[in-house]
Amino acid sequence: GLKYKIQCIFTVTIQSPVELIKYLTHSEIDKHLWDKCIYHSVNRLTYAMSWWLDTVSPGWEALVQDDYTAVMPLTGRRRFGIDYLYQPYLTQQLGVFSVNKPEPEDVDEFLNAIPEKFMYVDIHLNSTNVPLNHNFTYSARNNFTLDMTRSYVHLLAGYHRNCRRNLQKAVQSGLEVKSGPTPAVFTSFVERNLDKKVQDMGKKICPVIREITQASIQQGVGEIKGVYKPNGKLVAAGWFVYDMGRCFFGICASTKEGKDSQSMYLLVDHAIENRAGKGEIFDFTGSMVPGVAYFNAGFGAVKSH
């Protein structure tokens, strides 16, 4: 009989993961799906919610993988005819957020997918993003967090000796923590008490402070607390955000009198006592400043990057 040789040729088109990442302009972003992705991400942070981004970086754009299973906000600006990515004020970390733990190669793919129109990139990735992409250079930034699953008594026992001493000084001064001023008053208070070294920056950051504190309160996750003398004088104030299993200590300020009486120790201790045992993380949101890092560590906070 006759023998036939049948040769079958299959052409398979494999779409690379990079091609699955889409660049979306602001108007193309489905914010319902975006927020759903952030909320269900293993590394979820309030910073990446659409309402937050709308406030700190109006017109933000995005990289979206598949049907919003992983996303990366693009917070861009244009200056002197150049488009670039920057880190918005009061927004410690962004980067890649995913319903599955983002592996280094996943982060690299997102970084490679940043449109070429952004000629300069200076952003903060979140603590779960460990990139290997050699097209960028990296430096570690500090954060301090405190696990508040334990009771306040256990947390207080973990305070450093100097922290407890300063806290006692604040208590003996007769200071009291109350629901703080309005966003407008808080912003003015921060502006008046900025360190001279950063007063120029205050002109840029203060409008953002007012808008983001107001937005957080409207979202039901923000709170401003004040530290008052017995005569009712405000000597310190701080903004907190309670969301997604974290208590963020956003920004604070104190007068010279407040500094002398260690009012900020009382403010943070008050927040820790009120949130202790609720299974949250107290997030100090930094810092690279040695003095602030020392303050944070005094409450038993652990440094991460």
Side-chain angles (χ1 to χ4, degrees):
L2 297 175
K3 293 183 178 180
Y4 297 92
K5 181 178 180 180
I6 302 175
Q7 183 178 16
C8 297
I9 300 176
F10 295 93
T11 301
V12 180
T13 301
I14 301 176
Q15 190 174 24
S16 69
V18 174
E19 293 174 330
L20 295 176
I21 299 175
K22 298 179 181 179
Y23 161 62
L24 301 180
T25 63
H26 186 74
S27 61
E28 294 173 323
I29 300 169
D30 185 323
K31 292 183 180 178
H32 173 73
L33 292 179
W34 177 276
D35 287 340
K36 184 178 179 180
C37 174
I38 298 301
Y39 188 81
H40 292 288
S41 292
V42 296
N43 55 341
R44 63 182 188 171
L45 290 170
T46 308
Y47 302 126
M49 293 294 285
S50 63
W51 67 265
W52 187 292
L53 293 169
D54 285 343
T55 306
V56 299
S57 182
W60 59 281
E61 299 177 320
L63 296 175
V64 174
Q65 189 173 50
D66 297 330
D67 190 21
Y68 289 83
T69 57
V71 299
M72 178 180 175
L74 300 176
T75 49
R77 278 179 177 162
R78 185 174 180 82
R79 190 174 186 183
F80 303 126
I82 296 175
D83 290 303
Y84 65 98
L85 296 183
Y86 74 105
Q87 193 67 20
Y89 288 129
L90 305 175
T91 305
Q92 188 198 44
Q93 19 179 333
L94 289 174
V96 180
F97 296 87
S98 175
V99 294
N100 301 307
K101 185 179 184 298
E103 299 297 332
E105 53 269 26
D106 299 324
V107 180
D108 289 349
E109 289 166 2
F110 270 91
L111 293 178
N112 280 330
I114 294 175
E116 293 184 358
K117 76 168 189 173
F118 295 111
M119 301 179 66
Y120 179 74
V121 176
D122 185 5
I123 57 176
H124 300 174
L125 302 177
N126 65 69
S127 59
T128 68
N129 291 175
V130 184
L132 302 173
N133 194 314
H134 297 299
N135 294 324
F136 297 83
T137 57
Y138 311 93
S139 60
R141 298 188 64 84
N142 298 336
N143 192 31
F144 287 85
T145 57
L146 176 67
D147 183 351
M148 294 197 297
T149 56
R150 297 169 296 169
S151 68
Y152 173 68
V153 173
H154 284 88
L155 294 172
L156 181 61
Y159 289 8
H160 295 185
R161 181 183 300 177
N162 191 57
C163 178
R164 291 198 297 270
R165 185 184 302 118
N166 289 329
L167 179 58
Q168 186 62 31
K169 181 178 180 179
V171 172
Q172 292 174 347
S173 298
L175 300 178
E176 185 179 3
V177 179
K178 302 178 183 178
S179 292
T182 64
V185 175
F186 175 67
T187 302
S188 297
F189 180 81
V190 172
E191 188 173 17
R192 288 196 309 270
N193 293 286
L194 280 175
D195 188 280
K196 291 183 179 180
K197 296 179 181 178
V198 293
Q199 282 182 350
D200 288 340
M201 185 184 73
K203 297 177 182 178
K204 300 177 181 179
I205 195 175
C206 283
V208 182
I209 294 174
R210 180 170 180 170
E211 291 171 9
I212 193 61
T213 52
Q214 183 64 55
S216 68
I217 292 171
Q218 290 174 345
Q219 290 290 326
V221 299
E223 181 181 33
I224 298 173
K225 288 282 190 178
V227 181
Y228 297 85
K229 292 185 63 179
N231 62 6
K233 182 180 180 181
L234 179 67
V235 295
W239 167 54
F240 300 87
V241 175
Y242 314 112
D243 195 25
M244 299 187 182
R246 286 185 178 241
C247 170
F248 296 92
F249 186 27
I251 190 168
C252 61
S254 59
T255 64
K256 183 182 184 305
E257 192 174 8
K259 291 183 175 71
D260 293 340
S261 59
Q262 307 299 337
S263 59
M264 203 55 65
Y265 283 90
L266 185 66
L267 180 65
V268 172
D269 174 73
H270 179 273
I272 292 174
E273 182 177 12
N274 283 352
R275 309 297 294 189
K278 296 185 178 181
E280 294 178 333
I281 297 294
F282 192 95
D283 192 329
F284 286 87
T285 66
S287 166
M288 300 298 288
V289 180
V292 179
Y294 176 81
F295 173 87
N296 297 343
F299 289 91
V302 178
K303 182 168 68 173
S304 60
H305 298 98

